Amino acid sequence: MTEISHSPHLSPLQKWRHRLVIAKCDPTLLIGLGLLFVFAWLIAAPIINILFEVFTVQTGDEMRTGSDAGQMTGYYLERVFASRMSSIIFWKPLWNTLLVSITSMLLSMVIGSILAWLLVRTNLMGRRWLSTALIIPFMLPAWTFALAWTTLFKNATIGGQPGWAEAMGYQLPDWVSYGAFPTIVIMTLNYIPFVILLVGNALRRLDSQLEEAGQMLGASRGRVALSIVFPLMRPALMSSALLIFADAIGEFSVPYVLGLPVQFDTLATSLYRAIGTQQNGVAAVFAGVILVVGIATLALDTWMMREARRFAIIGSKGAMERRQSLGWLQWPATLLALIMVFIGVIAPLGALALSTVMHLPGRFELSNFTLDYWIGTNLDTVALRNGILLSSEFWNAAWSSISIVGSASICAGILGLLTGYIVLRSPLKFVSVSLRQITFFPYLVPGIAFAAAFLTLFAVPHGPIPALYGTPIILFLALIADQMPFASRAGISAMTQLGSDVEDSARVAGAGWLRRMFSIILPIQRNALVTAVLMPFISGIKGVSLFIILAVPATDVLTTFSIRLIDFNYTQAANAVVLMIALIALFGTILINRLTGTGLAQGLES
């Protein structure tokens, strides 16, 4: 058929007819081009648009800029980078962002690497149980732990109910309750499991015979660690550090909960403030800075991992994984791991759970315990009259979360599987490479910046497309775009393991493309499709950045509902909602592992 389409004896019309016949039997190329158009609209267009808005006069800024709306300007760049206000609105938040990002990255790398080594390469007591317990924080929203911190250590600076420490008579300074210190602590605790997963998986594949060979040649343990283990582990260590830094740059929820009460702004919260005060041009600059830093960091990580793959450093099937005896360090090492489980899991989740059944914080008296915040009625509050399980607002938000996130996840999963199919089957390399790259692009853009980019594009009508802001549709589309890195990688990974022989046999037997998809591809890739749906669902259900920018009261979801309760200082009710979100995320993660039979580390590597 290919030879016929290139035959010089056929007219152009005959060639096009021949290509249409081929496309009807195998529409892979047409579907690939269609997917490229959809992702260009959902992913590339918002990002290009927000970068364009940096240099465009926004409506309402005509007097400040001296130009009409829509004209080119450098006003926003000058205001952010070089005006009298720049030190307040940009340079100080930038310093705060770098401070918490770099510090939390370094701390999590040190602690996480030590724990990874203890879990993988030593005879640590309770190693199997600790391997699961220590990664639980990775399954939960980061702001779960930020709320736990305020529950325990909140002081009287912002009013409302005190934290447990103050209720027990301990007066805490602001730097303990809010600002840089608690933000760094919480972000460190949230990233430690990430390091354990990536570094631990790399250690697991490292042949212990390499270390033994060094010791047999007379090298000390320290020399072996510095000369053999560290160089071989450097790609995994650098990758973990860069990914943590890129994620921390765009982190919104933790600085929002712990920083705003004392005006501790980061780039993400400054972006949120700018959008809230309708400074769209300034917000575009903040989003552009976050976007550029995220892309540059993750591009560097991609380049480093590509370079690392040039070297064969991992053992073959004969590789050995001998565990080193800790000797007298057995008990101190086990105690360290147990302390991290207590600090990172038991204490925060326990504090949140207990706070939801207390009238007054920190008072452990029987008369102080209550279920009012769960099932109470006629509460003495303004914005929440009943406990959350009896509140129509909670169930409306829960339904919005499940319906919007669920439908977006199903669409993302289907699109992800189609993307994997086209990437592996496309006759044009350009389509394959372009789809692989564009679906991964949202991973390079921090969520708060991607939400701002989506807002700038879809807040106003464009041709036949009406303004979508304030409707569930904008949340639906943004979630699909934001979750495509997870869905597409699951689809590509699954299709890589499926050869074309079965499909070719069905094609020879006369089966059309739809018949092959529904009778062969989908049944075989059922588990992959479930993973491609569940992963975006879990990420979306606990996400904050997209919803805080794009949701309005009419489209409240669980995350925005809980943040609104936080703003009203309804701590117990907010903590109850967050616990529900955390349980959904935890259950979903465990379900993925059970269905796929793989751990989180393998998912992160893909």
Side-chain angles (χ1 to χ4, degrees):
M1 286 187 176
T2 304
E3 293 178 358
I4 293 175
S5 65
H6 290 286
S7 174
H9 305 292
L10 296 178
S11 67
L13 180 59
Q14 289 175 316
K15 291 180 180 179
W16 274 108
R17 284 180 178 176
H18 177 68
R19 289 170 182 168
L20 286 175
V21 171
I22 294 176
K24 186 177 179 180
C25 297
D26 189 9
T28 303
L29 181 58
L30 293 179
I31 295 172
L33 293 174
L35 288 176
L36 269 181
F37 174 79
V38 170
F39 294 138
W41 178 56
L42 290 180
I43 296 173
I47 294 172
I48 293 172
N49 185 71
I50 198 169
L51 294 177
F52 181 74
E53 288 207 351
V54 173
F55 305 98
T56 307
V57 177
Q58 303 299 306
T59 302
D61 290 335
E62 294 88 350
M63 293 290 291
R64 298 188 186 93
T65 61
S67 303
D68 295 331
Q71 291 187 346
M72 301 300 291
T73 182
Y75 169 77
Y76 302 115
L77 290 174
E78 181 182 358
R79 176 169 174 76
V80 171
F81 296 128
S83 70
R84 290 181 298 176
M85 296 294 294
S86 62
S87 62
I88 298 174
I89 65 174
F90 177 75
W91 295 111
K92 187 175 181 181
L94 175 63
W95 164 251
N96 292 339
T97 302
L98 294 175
L99 173 66
V100 298
S101 300
I102 294 174
T103 307
S104 59
M105 176 193 72
L106 293 174
L107 290 175
S108 61
M109 287 299 301
V110 172
I111 300 173
S113 298
I114 293 173
L115 291 173
W117 178 75
L118 289 173
L119 292 171
V120 175
R121 303 308 292 268
T122 72
N123 62 339
L124 184 72
M125 287 189 296
R127 185 176 54 85
R128 189 180 298 274
W129 176 82
L130 288 170
S131 296
T132 300
L134 283 168
I135 64 170
I136 288 178
F138 184 77
M139 307 178 193
L140 305 176
W143 50 296
T144 302
F145 305 98
L147 289 180
W149 186 277
T150 60
T151 298
L152 293 170
F153 304 118
K154 177 183 175 184
N155 64 16
T157 296
I158 61 173
Q161 292 185 340
W164 287 14
E166 188 168 357
M168 295 176 181
Y170 300 99
Q171 299 299 319
L172 300 176
D174 282 351
W175 70 268
V176 172
S177 300
Y178 312 104
F181 175 71
T183 302
I184 290 171
V185 171
I186 296 303
M187 291 175 66
T188 299
L189 290 175
N190 191 58
Y191 290 132
I192 284 173
F194 185 83
V195 179
I196 293 175
L197 287 168
L198 286 187
V199 175
N201 202 50
L203 279 170
R204 193 173 292 109
R205 293 179 298 157
L206 182 64
D207 192 348
S208 61
Q209 293 179 95
L210 299 174
E211 301 168 70
E212 293 175 0
Q215 292 176 358
M216 289 175 63
L217 293 173
S220 63
R221 285 192 176 184
R223 180 66 182 274
V224 168
L226 291 176
S227 301
I228 298 177
V229 177
F230 179 75
L232 298 182
M233 292 300 301
R234 187 162 49 201
L237 293 170
M238 292 301 297
S239 179
S240 301
L242 289 170
L243 291 173
I244 289 171
F245 178 76
D247 187 75
I249 286 289
E251 173 60 39
F252 168 78
S253 58
V254 176
Y256 178 83
V257 174
L258 298 174
L260 288 189
V262 290
Q263 307 300 312
F264 181 81
D265 283 318
T266 62
L267 289 178
T269 56
S270 295
L271 169 60
Y272 176 70
R273 284 177 181 268
I275 292 175
T277 54
Q278 298 184 349
Q279 300 180 63
N280 294 334
V282 173
V285 176
F286 284 130
V289 172
I290 297 173
L291 188 151
V292 168
V293 173
I295 291 176
T297 304
L298 289 169
L300 177 60
D301 172 66
T302 303
W303 176 80
M304 291 185 62
M305 292 306 294
R306 187 183 301 118
E307 290 296 306
R309 292 189 183 103
R310 295 170 56 192
F311 301 93
I313 64 171
I314 305 299
S316 62
K317 291 184 178 179
M320 303 184 69
E321 185 188 340
R322 292 197 179 97
R323 304 193 188 282
Q324 299 179 18
S325 174
L326 288 173
W328 65 272
L329 290 175
Q330 178 72 257
W331 284 104
T334 305
L335 181 61
L336 171 65
L338 291 174
I339 289 174
M340 292 307 303
V341 171
F342 177 80
I343 294 175
V345 180
I346 298 174
L349 293 182
L352 284 181
L354 282 175
S355 71
T356 64
V357 293
M358 286 184 175
H359 278 299
L360 298 175
R363 293 190 181 181
F364 297 91
E365 302 169 357
L366 187 60
S367 59
N368 190 46
F369 287 93
T370 179
L371 293 176
D372 283 353
Y373 300 104
W374 288 96
I375 57 174
T377 57
N378 298 319
L379 302 181
D380 189 21
T381 56
V382 176
L384 188 71
R385 299 300 300 169
N386 300 316
I388 66 163
L389 296 182
L390 300 180
S391 170
S392 60
E393 289 180 313
F394 169 77
W395 290 111
N396 289 338
W399 170 246
S400 293
S401 294
I402 293 172
S403 60
I404 295 173
V405 177
S407 57
S409 300
I410 292 172
C411 288
I414 295 172
L415 289 173
L417 196 60
L418 274 176
T419 298
Y421 180 87
I422 301 300
V423 167
L424 272 297
R425 301 285 195 270
S426 174
L428 287 182
K429 186 177 181 181
F430 166 77
V431 174
S432 175
V433 173
S434 298
L435 269 180
R436 181 187 289 268
Q437 297 300 328
I438 198 171
T439 54
F440 184 69
F441 200 73
Y443 189 77
L444 305 178
V445 183
I448 193 78
F450 191 73
F454 227 80
L455 179 64
T456 60
L457 183 62
F458 294 103
V460 295
H462 291 279
I465 302 173
L468 299 178
Y469 182 61
T471 69
I473 297 176
I474 193 172
L475 297 175
F476 172 76
L477 294 177
L479 280 167
I480 291 176
D482 189 57
Q483 300 304 322
M484 279 314 299
F486 299 104
S488 65
R489 264 37 191 186
I492 293 172
S493 177
M495 291 304 302
T496 301
Q497 301 172 22
L498 177 65
S500 60
D501 296 344
V502 178
E503 193 179 359
D504 289 340
S505 301
R507 184 188 291 110
V508 171
W513 185 82
L514 285 176
R515 179 68 181 273
R516 298 198 303 272
M517 284 297 295
F518 284 100
S519 300
I520 298 175
I521 303 298
L522 288 179
I524 293 176
Q525 301 293 3
R526 184 174 57 249
N527 286 344
L529 181 60
V530 170
T531 303
V533 171
L534 282 177
M535 285 187 69
F537 180 79
I538 295 166
S539 180
I541 208 75
K542 68 180 184 178
V544 177
S545 298
L546 281 180
F547 293 121
I548 198 66
I549 298 294
L550 299 175
V552 297
T555 56
D556 234 358
V557 293
L558 286 175
T559 50
T560 54
F561 178 59
S562 63
I563 287 177
R564 187 152 50 83
L565 292 174
I566 294 169
D567 292 337
F568 278 110
N569 283 321
Y570 296 159
T571 305
Q572 294 96 327
N575 290 351
V577 175
V578 170
L579 277 177
M580 298 294 285
I581 297 172
L583 286 174
I584 294 172
L586 184 61
F587 174 77
T589 305
I590 295 172
L591 182 62
I592 286 179
N593 292 340
R594 291 290 178 88
L595 289 175
T596 61
T598 58
L600 279 173
Q602 286 75 17
L604 287 172
E605 282 191 323
S606 66

